[in-house]
Amino acid sequence: MLRTIATIFLALTVLFVNAQEIDLISVSGKVLTDSQEPVSDAQVMVNDSIVSVTDTSGLFSFRIRPKSFYIKAAKNGYESERISVMNPTRAITDLLVTMIRNNELDEVVVTAYPQIETATKAIWYPSKQEQRYSTNGYQLVDNMNIPDVVSSSHNQTISIVNGQSVQCLINGIEAQPDEVATLSAKDIVRIDFQRAPGGKYVGKGGVMNFITHQYDYGGNVYVSADQGFAYQYGDYLGFANYKKGALSLSVTGSFKWNREHNLSASDNIYNLNSGIMTQTVRPINALLSSRNTYGRFKISHAKNNHSLNVSLELTANNIPTDSTSSLASYCGILEQQSISSRHSSSNALSPKLDIDYTLYINGNQYLNISGSASYGRNRYSGMFCETGFDDIITESKEHNQSYSGGLAYYYYLKNNGVLGLNVNHISNIYSDKYWGNYDSRQKLNTGYTSALIQWQQTLSPLNLFYYVSAGYSYTNTDINGKKDNYWNPVIYYGGNYAINQNQSISLNGNYLHTIFSPEYKNDLVLPSSFFQATVGNPDLGVLKSFQNYLTYNATFNKFRMSVSYDFMVYLDNITNKYYTKDNILYKTLINDGNFYSNRIIFSASYGMLNNSLRLSGHSIAEFFHLKGEEYDRKHNGIRGSLSLAYYTKGWSFKATYTTPYKTFSMSDPTYFKNKCQYGVVIAWNRNNLQIEAGAENFADKYRANSRYFDYGSWNMNTVDRFSSKGRNIYVSVTYTLPYGKKTDSPDASYQSTINSAILKPF
């Protein structure tokens, strides 16, 4: 059935492409200066509309209907000749467009399509309206209504519609979430998006490069505050930078907190060794509070042929309270009512040093060397109490070290081919101590090394780009003297074909393996209740995955669409196993069978009323099959979302709706039923200030989602009521103060997670 659907999808795509191509001829050429130097990133225009952008060699290509046209190029600081082409009847190759350097020219202003497809990337030009109603990079991408990309300013994430993350760059330099969050939308000239990323970014869902205005010197001060009321949380960020010449300095500070109440009610049936026991749990109260503090100092030195970035970070995570209390009733082999309570707390502190150096050699070679080192100190304390039974206490502390290094080298050939080498290594050292009901010490060392050789090439006359990257990865573990080694081949491949300036087809595929969770790579047994325990698995192996992701993208005036087919297989899938012994229910992780995933995704967006009213939506049809010795389960489902936005006189209004849906997790494994979600946002923008107010799921204080599964020894049926996913009313204020003549985009990135291998019973 799925193969038939995929075949029909591909056949319709090919027929549609052929129908579009019948009356088109190809045009390719080169943009050079009067001294015969290639001009990169020049906008190639036909009849004053942009149809292509030159690559690093000055090459361009596009397809056009066979009628007379004139062509020229545009780039700041250059003046272009204009060439007339009269009634072409066949393909045109080696068309030469000459530009003269003129640094006194004003900024080039042209009429552009909102989205232009080329062999290597899609090019998006934000309108003044989109920039006016956006404060940062995330909001701009969201307001541009791009169907195959999902951008969230609150979560500081950008992904493609299948969920894969997108690597963000600013002027070609890697950017972290808060760097994009502090990037002024008004400074963004265009956005380049690679759907089939090669080079060091193979395996990413895409690469998004924000191209910004360039100035002489200056800095930026950025402050933002996001405050939630119904669901209580706060997110505060401050940033300042200064640049003069090749040197730039920046300081970032962040503080986040939240208080949430997540209540769970469950009806469980346990098949223990002595017989059946039913358990009914009803919540009394719950509280989870957390705090995150982050600081970073960064110094950078960048010139035309090299860049050096050094940063020192300090992260502190603290969960002072994570507690629940419930009323439990037992029937069967145990007849009893009791009150149970669970309380845990944790804190972690980690300094980190990052170094990244890039060198461009002779104009045709690229070398990147990166490294990082961090130290982490983690502490966990947990206690479970239930009337009529002994208390269960678990205390642990950990010291860990992490080291990583990477080397990337690429050689650019004259045939638009690139030959490259990527080598990466990560080492983690954990030293854990447990005490309480169970005393133990654990020393765990993990290492991951990969080496890949890559070839990529742009075939300009065919509007085609492709890449192949292959090599091996080596994973090693040492748990209290027990050593394991894993060798696995790694392959990435893909390409992008620009049918014309409005349509493209892209493919990304890979075969690789994922690193298992280190906290389970042990032989610990930690009790979590009077009849439950969590068990480590020192023999846990790696999970291998094989994926192909095929996408068709098109723009027809104000209508954009994207159709995708996502196929994935997890080999030696990692999943939870539950079993009983001596009337104890044990939980552990195992490698069991394969997981097959097929998804068909359709996304579309449309602009009306001169693009002041914008509609967008997407739907996902998913077909899952978990097939192993422990479990053999299937799931078919469909879900979707809709969005409406309206912009007028400095005000913007947005409403979103996500349908209720059922899905399946292969790692638990568990079925999930999720209720619909909805929200409205009103924002006011003036110059560098934005004030935003929003309400989400305002009809329900708690959002109730259910999960259920029959594990054989345990039949689970649970309803979770989340305050964090329920009623949320918030106000957000953002202000940016530029001074001097700003040179680069703000750099306020941070990664606030801390490494840990502590096995937690609850």
Side-chain angles (χ1 to χ4, degrees), residues 50-251:
I50 299 176
V51 296
S52 183
V53 174
T54 59
D55 61 16
T56 54
S57 300
L59 297 173
F60 66 86
S61 63
F62 58 90
R63 281 178 167 81
I64 195 171
R65 296 190 181 279
K67 59 182 181 180
S68 299
F69 65 89
Y70 66 86
I71 184 173
K72 64 179 181 179
K75 185 177 181 179
N76 291 345
Y78 291 86
E79 188 174 8
S80 171
E81 66 174 334
R82 173 171 151 164
I83 301 174
S84 296
V85 180
M86 306 302 295
N87 298 317
T89 58
R90 59 180 181 176
I92 301 174
T93 59
D94 301 326
L95 183 62
L96 179 62
V97 180
T98 302
M99 303 188 78
I100 299 174
R101 185 182 293 275
N102 185 351
N103 292 323
E104 301 303 319
L105 286 176
D106 293 332
E107 178 183 345
V108 178
V109 179
V110 298
T111 301
Y113 291 100
Q115 180 169 320
I116 299 173
E117 301 290 342
T118 70
T120 57
K121 59 192 175 184
I123 304 167
W124 301 321
Y125 289 92
S127 66
K128 289 186 177 180
Q129 180 193 58
E130 291 162 344
Q131 291 177 316
R132 178 184 180 184
Y133 292 98
S134 307
T135 60
N136 57 38
Y138 291 116
Q139 285 189 343
L140 182 62
V141 174
D142 185 41
N143 288 338
M144 289 177 71
N145 231 16
I146 302 165
D148 57 326
V149 173
V150 179
S151 178
S152 172
S153 182
H154 282 284
N155 297 327
Q156 296 184 358
T157 59
I158 296 179
S159 64
I160 56 178
V161 289
N162 77 339
Q164 286 183 279
S165 63
V166 170
Q167 174 65 56
C168 292
L169 313 176
I170 298 177
N171 295 320
I173 300 175
E174 287 187 20
Q176 297 295 331
D178 276 19
E179 187 172 359
V180 180
T182 59
L183 174 61
S184 172
K186 296 178 179 62
D187 283 338
I188 299 173
V189 178
R190 75 169 194 266
I191 300 173
D192 295 346
F193 183 60
Q194 290 180 283
R195 295 191 180 91
K200 63 185 292 187
Y201 302 113
V202 291
K204 290 287 185 181
V207 174
M208 184 174 292
N209 188 18
F210 294 90
I211 308 300
T212 68
H213 290 293
Q214 299 293 301
Y215 298 90
D216 296 330
Y217 69 90
N220 220 35
V221 175
Y222 176 96
V223 291
S224 69
D226 189 357
Q227 184 71 51
F229 296 98
Y231 158 52
Q232 298 178 335
Y233 72 92
D235 187 350
Y236 317 104
L237 173 66
F239 164 82
N241 76 329
Y242 178 75
K243 174 166 181 170
K244 186 175 183 180
L247 186 66
S248 63
L249 306 172
S250 67
V251 178

Side-chain angles (χ1 to χ4, degrees), residues 631-644:
Y631 312 108
D632 191 344
R633 297 289 192 276
K634 293 182 179 181
H635 163 72
N636 300 328
I638 188 169
R639 51 185 158 131
S641 67
L642 295 172
S643 173
L644 181 149

Side-chain angles (χ1 to χ4, degrees), residues 491-507:
I491 301 173
Y492 296 95
Y493 56 88
N496 187 74
Y497 170 58
I499 303 167
N500 52 46
Q501 68 185 47
N502 299 321
Q503 302 172 68
S504 70
I505 296 177
S506 62
L507 170 70

Side-chain angles (χ1 to χ4, degrees), residues 523-690:
D523 54 5
L524 297 178
V525 180
L526 297 180
S528 54
S529 77
F530 73 90
F531 70 99
Q532 295 170 306
T534 300
V535 184
N537 183 0
D539 298 318
L540 189 66
V542 297
L543 177 152
K544 306 176 185 67
S545 69
F546 172 67
Q547 182 179 25
N548 283 295
Y549 185 62
L550 178 66
T551 304
Y552 166 74
N553 289 276
T555 300
F556 303 103
N557 197 4
K558 296 179 181 180
F559 177 75
R560 301 182 186 180
M561 62 173 290
S562 173
V563 184
S564 306
Y565 173 63
D566 186 6
F567 169 75
M568 183 169 57
V569 179
Y570 284 166
L571 306 173
D572 297 328
N573 181 53
I574 296 178
T575 188
N576 282 316
K577 176 183 178 180
Y578 295 88
Y579 63 95
T580 60
K581 182 180 179 182
D582 299 329
N583 283 332
I584 300 296
L585 178 71
Y586 293 95
K587 168 190 171 183
T588 190
L589 277 183
I590 62 169
N591 297 98
D592 179 50
N594 302 326
F595 174 73
Y596 303 90
S597 168
N598 291 270
R599 295 194 294 174
I600 299 174
I601 307 170
F602 175 76
S603 303
S605 63
Y606 185 68
M608 297 182 292
L609 303 178
N610 198 26
N611 271 336
S612 292
L613 178 62
R614 303 189 178 196
L615 307 174
S616 64
H618 72 262
S619 61
I620 302 176
E622 53 190 23
F623 310 89
F624 298 155
H625 186 190
L626 175 61
K627 188 174 183 179
E629 294 182 5
E630 287 291 326
Y631 312 108
D632 191 344
R633 297 289 192 276
K634 293 182 179 181
H635 163 72
N636 300 328
I638 188 169
R639 51 185 158 131
S641 67
L642 295 172
S643 173
L644 181 149
Y646 182 66
Y647 307 93
T648 179
K649 298 180 181 180
W651 291 87
S652 62
F653 306 87
K654 188 172 184 179
T656 59
Y657 175 78
T658 300
T659 63
Y661 65 94
K662 175 183 173 182
T663 190
F664 178 73
S665 168
M666 77 290 180
S667 58
D668 294 296
T670 305
Y671 290 102
F672 290 90
K673 281 186 177 180
N674 298 286
K675 295 183 66 175
C676 67
Q677 297 197 43
Y678 50 89
V680 293
V681 177
I682 300 175
W684 178 73
N685 293 267
R686 184 177 180 87
N687 298 325
N688 297 318
L689 174 67
Q690 182 187 73

